[in-house]
Amino acid sequence: MTSSLFRGRPRCAKAHIRVRVTHAVVGALVGAGWLMLPLMTVTTSPPVPAAPAGPGAGPVAGSAAGPGGASTADFVLPLVAVAAAVVLAAYGYLRRVRRARTRTTPGTMPGRPSPPTLTDAERQAGIALVLADDCVRASAEELSFVREEFAGGAGGTDGFARALRGAEAELAVAFAMWRGYEQGLPEGAAARRQTLAGVVGRCAEAGRRLDAEAAALDQARGLEGPGAGAALEVAEGRFRGLAVRTVAAHGTLTALRERYASSATDSVTGSVEQAKDRLLFATACLNEARQCVDAADGDRAARNLRAGEGAIAQAEVLVSGVERLGARLREAAALVPAALTGAEAELAAARHGRSRARLATGELAARLAHADGVLAAVREELTGALPHDPLDALRRITRAVDRLDLGRSGVLGTAALLVAQATLDSADDFVTVHRGAVGPRARARLSQAARALATGTVFEADTAAREARDLAERDVRAHGTPYAGSAAAGLPGAVLGGVLLAEEPDAGPPAGFGGPATRGRRRLSAP
């Protein structure tokens, strides 16, 4: 049997309509009968006068007869009844219309709120993506400290790691859906709105997975209680090691700038200075956390400790970026000569007709000429007196040969992978330490680059990662520096990096492991 919820108006509503119709018909008949009553009582015989009550008695007041012997009341009362019926009918109609417009019972369409516009849905999906990505990144940062705390315990962090992996998988699907939406897929407003709803749903599921484990992680760490001392020891140990690495990174970056072209180190410009800024903020937080532990102020100890951990994690990202770039530039410089040799072999094969692409003779000649020019320019840079950018040289070599569709040889494939991985890591580091300002478009390109690299489409990965970095830098410039006038050391960088959530006048609570409902749970009550 089909439920009445799917057949339009419910049965009780139909019964009410029948009752209202019956009342209206009866009222109309009564009114018409009353109106006709005077005509029905008119007779052709003269009226019999009433006996006078006494001498000099006159007519009774109020009984003056009109034409045909009917009194005035016989006409006034029906008219009054009709007027009352009309007023009641109008009131009933207006009441029914008002109730229909505001009805919330199932099966009635009027009064249901209209769906959000496509622009509103897109804005909501973008906000959900940024929030979910921030939660995943902050959760990964805190989990790195938890793993170090429980390094000797078997399986102590497995549940938290599973939750993080599940959230990352949900977020990856959400970014893929968003990227398809940006590229115009699917078509049609309804389908596109449904896609955006799916993005929001995936982000919500990612947050739910992290929220579900937040309380267990807090219980395991015990930062508000006896666990604060051990956690503080871990954070201070990482801080000391990172301080040494930061000094070394400064020397590394200076040497790289002397050896290579300026474009080779553009991706880490300012990284050492930002790392020092984060460490300065971490110093203040850890010192205050230590004082709070000594004073048995668990809430403040946990808040300052988590803020310090977040700053240390981001300083490590910045320093590691410099160290990693130095290693990759050395690897790329050693690989360039072999890549040139491999590219020359590929060009010779193309001239002998081994290209998989069916190109016209003129098109093939143009592509070969372009590749020859690229290889010649790279050789000139290697033998010239000016420093060069080995990663950029590998990018140009591999892309020039790829246009011939010959299939990459081993050395060219290795070179293309090295370039794509370096570009992706650089973009990911930038988003991580500026996530307080980076929007959904840059993050979506970054996710696209990661997917492409995982599937072996290295040129797509390299292009998407470069676009992600450009979009992220644009977002940061538009956002500006928060809390620029603050006297607190390192506070603007901590807010820009998402270490603090900027939800309160004092820059808000520190971000921690958890989803939207729990990531900022370490708030302090007013003193």
Side-chain angles (χ1 to χ4, degrees), residues 74-254:
D74 291 333
F75 291 102
V76 173
L77 292 177
L79 291 177
V80 171
V82 171
V86 170
V87 170
L88 291 174
Y91 172 75
Y93 172 77
L94 293 176
R95 186 178 179 185
R96 286 196 300 273
V97 170
R98 190 182 306 113
R99 290 179 61 186
R101 289 177 178 173
T102 59
R103 186 184 298 275
T104 59
T105 53
T108 56
M109 298 300 294
R112 191 173 64 179
S114 59
T117 65
L118 198 59
T119 301
D120 290 339
E122 182 176 333
R123 180 180 59 81
Q124 293 169 4
I127 292 173
L129 282 170
V130 170
L131 179 58
D133 192 46
D134 283 351
C135 291
V136 167
R137 292 177 184 274
S139 297
E141 288 174 355
E142 182 169 4
L143 186 58
S144 68
F145 287 89
V146 176
R147 282 173 171 151
E148 192 167 346
E149 287 179 44
F150 296 95
T157 63
D158 289 349
F160 312 135
R162 280 194 301 271
L164 181 58
R165 287 194 300 270
E168 289 172 340
E170 294 288 345
L171 183 60
V173 175
F175 272 126
M177 296 171 67
W178 173 268
R179 185 62 185 136
Y181 174 86
E182 286 184 321
Q183 294 173 333
L185 299 174
E187 298 178 354
R192 290 174 67 75
R193 187 179 290 109
Q194 186 66 27
T195 297
L196 294 175
V199 170
V200 174
R202 291 284 186 173
C203 291
E205 177 60 20
R208 187 199 64 78
R209 289 173 181 265
L210 297 174
D211 284 330
E213 295 293 332
L217 184 137
D218 287 349
Q219 184 176 6
R221 299 197 73 185
L223 297 185
E224 291 81 4
L232 195 54
E233 290 291 339
V234 170
E236 290 173 340
R238 286 179 64 169
F239 176 91
R240 289 189 292 269
L242 194 55
V244 175
R245 290 172 57 194
T246 302
V247 175
H250 184 272
T252 299
L253 186 56
T254 301

Side-chain angles (χ1 to χ4, degrees), residues 350-432:
R351 289 188 175 94
H352 288 82
R354 298 177 186 173
S355 174
R356 295 180 299 181
R358 296 181 178 180
L359 301 174
T361 303
E363 177 67 17
L364 178 59
R367 295 189 180 187
L368 286 170
H370 171 74
D372 285 332
V374 169
L375 299 187
V378 171
R379 289 192 202 96
E380 185 177 354
E381 291 174 2
L382 292 180
T383 58
L386 297 176
H388 66 286
D389 182 349
L391 283 171
D392 182 65
L394 290 179
R395 177 181 288 113
R396 287 181 288 154
I397 292 170
T398 54
R399 285 185 177 272
V401 174
D402 184 71
R403 295 184 64 206
L404 301 173
D405 198 16
L406 295 164
R408 291 182 299 276
S409 65
V411 64
L412 293 179
T414 301
L417 180 61
L418 175 63
V419 170
Q421 188 67 66
T423 309
L424 175 61
D425 289 341
S426 170
D428 187 65
D429 290 349
F430 187 87
V431 172
T432 296

